[in-house]
Amino acid sequence: MLISLALMVAPPALAQSDGSKGAPISADVIQGWRQADGTQITALRLTLAPGWKTYWRAPGDAGIPPEFDWSGSRNLAGVGITWPTPEVFNQNGMRSIGYHDQLILPLHVKPKVDGKPVDIKLSMDIGVCSDICIPETLKITAILDATDAKPIPAIAAALAQRPYSGSEAGARGVTCSLRPKDGGLEITADISLPSTGSDEVVVIEAGRPGFWVSEADTSRQGNTLRAVADMVPSTGSASLDRSAIRFTVLGQNRAVDIIGCSAG
C-alpha cells in the first residue's frame, strides 16, 4: 500500500508537522466485532478540520500516499484494509484523490493466536491539505478484544462504500498492452465496462512497489473505456505482472475496482 511533474502552476506549499495537539487531523479506533474465523473487524476514524482533506491509497500526483507501520503491535498476524470510494479533487490544474470531513477506514485484523486480544500500535504517516500540505504522523494504540459477532453500523456502512468489483458492475475484463517508453512503460488499457457516469477517472496501480504511474488519459467508446498512462520504476526492472495491475474507475454514479488484465 504506497513525483513530480513540470506544471505551469505551483503545487501546494509543504509544511512540517509532528502530529501534535491542534493538528488538522485526529484519529481514533472504532471497536468492531469478531468473525467466526477469529478476525477482528474494526476501523480507524480519521477526523479532519473544516477545509482539510486527506488521501486515498493512490493519491494522484498532487497527493501524499499514506503509509502504515504496524511493527509495534502484539499478537498481530496481518491487517487488511477496505478503502471506501474516494473523491476526485481538482485544484489549480492538479488532481488528487481522497476524502474530506471524516474517513472511517475498515480494518480486517487477524490475530496470531485466536481468542487473545490484539494490541495495536500503529504509526501512520498521512498527508493532509488545505492551502498547504502537511505530512502528519499519527500514533494510534488500541486493544482489540471484541467477542460479539454483531456488526457495528458505522463500520458496516464504510464497508458498503467500497467500489463495486468488476463482476458486480458488469465488467467483461480488461485488455492491456505495454510498450517501452522513456525508461519505463506506457500502458494502454481497454476496460469493457458499462458507463459509471460522467467525468470518469481511471486510476492505474502497478501491483508492485517502486512504480510511479501517471494520471491516465481516458476516453470512452460505447462500453469500452480506454486509459493510457506512463509507468516508471524508481529503480531496477520495469517488468510487470499483468494479473496484478489494478484499475479503479471513479464515475459520478459508481466506482469499480478491477484487478488484472490480459495481453491486448
Side-chain angles (χ1 to χ4, degrees):
M1 290 177 289
L2 270 152
I3 304 192
S4 64
L5 292 177
L7 297 172
M8 295 299 292
V9 296
L14 187 66
Q16 294 295 320
S17 172
D18 59 2
S20 58
K21 184 177 180 181
I25 187 170
S26 60
D28 66 327
V29 173
I30 302 175
Q31 290 278 359
W33 64 93
R34 183 180 181 274
Q35 293 184 322
D37 65 356
T39 300
Q40 297 273 349
I41 307 300
T42 187
L44 297 176
R45 177 168 46 204
L46 306 179
T47 303
L48 293 142
W52 290 81
K53 59 181 180 288
T54 193
Y55 296 106
W56 186 50
R57 64 168 190 264
D61 287 330
I64 301 171
E67 296 184 6
F68 302 81
D69 180 359
W70 305 92
S71 61
S73 303
R74 295 182 179 180
N75 195 32
L76 178 64
V79 179
I81 299 175
T82 297
W83 291 89
T85 297
E87 297 181 53
V88 178
F89 302 107
N90 291 288
Q91 184 175 9
N92 298 326
M94 301 181 72
R95 188 177 78 191
S96 61
I97 301 173
Y99 310 91
H100 64 86
D101 295 336
Q102 187 177 89
L103 167 62
I104 294 178
L105 189 61
L107 306 175
H108 303 252
V109 179
K110 184 67 176 175
K112 288 181 179 179
V113 180
D114 190 15
K116 292 189 175 182
V118 180
D119 184 359
I120 292 294
K121 286 185 171 57
L122 168 63
S123 178
M124 183 177 182
D125 291 331
I126 192 168
V128 292
C129 276
S130 180
D131 297 325
I132 60 171
C133 290
I134 302 173
E136 288 281 350
T137 296
L138 303 173
K139 302 292 186 180
I140 302 162
T141 61
I143 302 294
L144 306 182
D145 57 358
T147 57
D148 197 340
K150 183 179 180 180
I152 301 301
I155 302 176
L159 287 167
Q161 291 168 11
R162 65 166 177 80
Y164 289 91
S165 68
S167 59
E168 290 170 336
R172 300 182 63 183
V174 182
T175 59
C176 61
S177 61
L178 299 167
R179 71 176 186 88
K181 180 182 178 183
D182 300 332
L185 299 168
E186 180 184 77
I187 182 171
T188 300
D190 288 323
I191 306 169
S192 179
L193 175 71
S195 174
T196 61
S198 60
D199 301 323
E200 289 174 306
V201 168
V202 179
V203 181
I204 302 176
E205 298 170 78
R208 55 166 286 188
F211 263 83
W212 168 77
V213 183
S214 71
E215 293 182 4
D217 293 324
T218 61
S219 59
R220 176 175 281 280
Q221 197 164 44
N223 280 341
T224 299
L225 182 63
R226 171 164 286 190
V228 182
D230 295 332
M231 309 177 79
V232 181
S234 56
T235 58
S237 170
S239 64
L240 286 173
D241 176 3
R242 280 186 171 86
S243 68
I245 300 174
R246 191 169 193 169
F247 306 87
T248 304
V249 181
L250 302 172
Q252 289 295 313
N253 299 333
R254 67 183 67 87
V256 183
D257 185 19
I258 304 170
I259 298 177
C261 63
S262 58

